[in-house]
Amino acid sequence: MGATEKLAACLAKYRGVVGKVVDFDAANDRLFALDLTAANTELDPDMVADTEAFTIYINKKLAGSNCRYAIGGYMEHRTIYARSAHFDTEDEPRRLHLGVDIWGDAGTPVYSPLAGIVHSFRDNDNFGDYGPTIILQHTLDGGILYSLYGHLSRSSLKGLATGQPIAPTQQIATLGRADENGHWPPHLHFQLMLDIDDAKGDYPGVGKFSEKDTLLNNIPDPALILKFSGIGTTAF
């Protein structure tokens, strides 16, 4: 049984207690499905390498589709990570995206969908990295689930303390600007993990494609928590 199946079985006992991650009105909001694989020929390496141009591209897609957020990425094999040496390794570059990205405006509120505690936090201040990052720890049916929130504003880390209790649907952060979030267009990297070993304030959000099967055993599909509907389009 993979991580997604394990979490789905556990969450079946927690109906009604899973809150939001961002403000999303299923009755009125639509989501733009953003493909960041090589299939999206609108994106070229020069555009992706230029944070401002990349941001303009995403904003145009949101405006043109009348969508509040763009979303995508779980286990997506992306070429865009060539923009940063942060994802390079000697044997195989990391290109497999392990979470879900929710693209929106800087300053967009971010919430914890479950009760838990602050496990750890850090400003991973490298080009292409997470920037400010929070990891929460949740206890579900006697087991542990970790949730990671990356590309936040620096103000999101102020006042945090390890072990601090977090309530369901409590605002924990806001989306950061490009100059503070690892130099990306504003978005949230939301990721779930069953085990993070001794990691603190950071956990890989991009892995090696050759290790996908192993990663699937530890990293559930965030759709189980997000429960989004209203995908507006599957276009790029």
Side-chain angles (χ1 to χ4, degrees):
M1 181 184 294
T4 296
E5 291 75 20
K6 291 177 184 176
L7 181 58
C10 181
L11 288 176
K13 304 174 185 178
Y14 287 84
R15 291 175 182 169
V17 300
V18 179
K20 60 186 176 181
V21 175
V22 295
D23 291 309
F24 176 76
D25 180 357
N28 298 300
D29 281 334
R30 297 167 67 246
L31 297 165
F32 184 84
L34 184 62
D35 184 339
L36 296 180
T37 70
N40 185 352
T41 56
E42 291 181 351
L43 285 174
D44 58 54
D46 289 339
M47 181 190 295
V48 171
D50 183 333
T51 303
E52 183 177 357
F54 194 7
T55 302
I56 290 171
Y57 170 82
I58 290 176
N59 287 342
K60 284 184 176 179
K61 290 298 179 184
L62 288 172
S65 58
N66 194 29
C67 289
R68 189 175 183 184
Y69 305 107
I71 189 169
Y74 178 63
M75 294 297 163
E76 186 174 73
H77 193 206
R78 293 176 166 179
T79 56
I80 64 169
Y81 295 118
R83 77 192 295 262
S84 172
H86 178 67
F87 303 102
D88 293 339
T89 59
E90 291 184 2
D91 57 339
E92 177 189 350
R94 294 186 293 134
R95 298 291 185 263
L96 185 67
H97 190 251
L98 306 179
V100 162
D101 285 335
I102 304 171
W103 309 81
D105 294 334
T108 294
V110 177
Y111 306 88
S112 171
L114 297 163
I117 62 171
V118 174
H119 173 272
S120 52
F121 52 94
R122 181 190 301 168
D123 187 354
N124 297 289
D125 187 17
N126 306 295
F127 183 81
D129 207 337
Y130 284 133
T133 309
I134 298 173
I135 297 177
L136 302 183
Q137 179 178 321
H138 315 277
T139 300
L140 292 176
D141 198 29
I144 300 295
L145 175 70
Y146 299 91
S147 58
L148 181 149
Y149 309 80
H151 308 297
L152 307 175
S153 62
R154 290 206 169 99
S155 62
S156 300
L157 303 186
K158 292 180 179 179
L160 287 184
T162 300
Q164 176 181 334
I166 300 294
T169 318
Q170 177 179 333
Q171 183 178 340
I172 58 169
T174 56
L175 298 192
R177 304 182 311 271
D179 63 353
E180 61 184 348
N181 75 354
H183 299 277
W184 291 95
H187 73 288
L188 172 70
H189 176 96
F190 176 62
Q191 184 171 314
L192 304 173
M193 298 82 62
L194 302 183
D195 181 19
I196 60 172
D197 198 19
D198 59 355
K200 294 187 184 302
D202 189 17
Y203 190 84
V206 182
K208 298 177 182 178
F209 187 78
S210 63
E211 298 175 353
K212 182 176 181 178
D213 289 345
T214 300
L215 293 166
L216 283 168
N217 286 324
N218 186 52
I219 301 174
D221 186 346
L224 293 174
I225 295 288
L226 295 172
K227 297 180 180 178
F228 279 156
S229 62
I231 299 290
T233 175
T234 57
F236 301 141

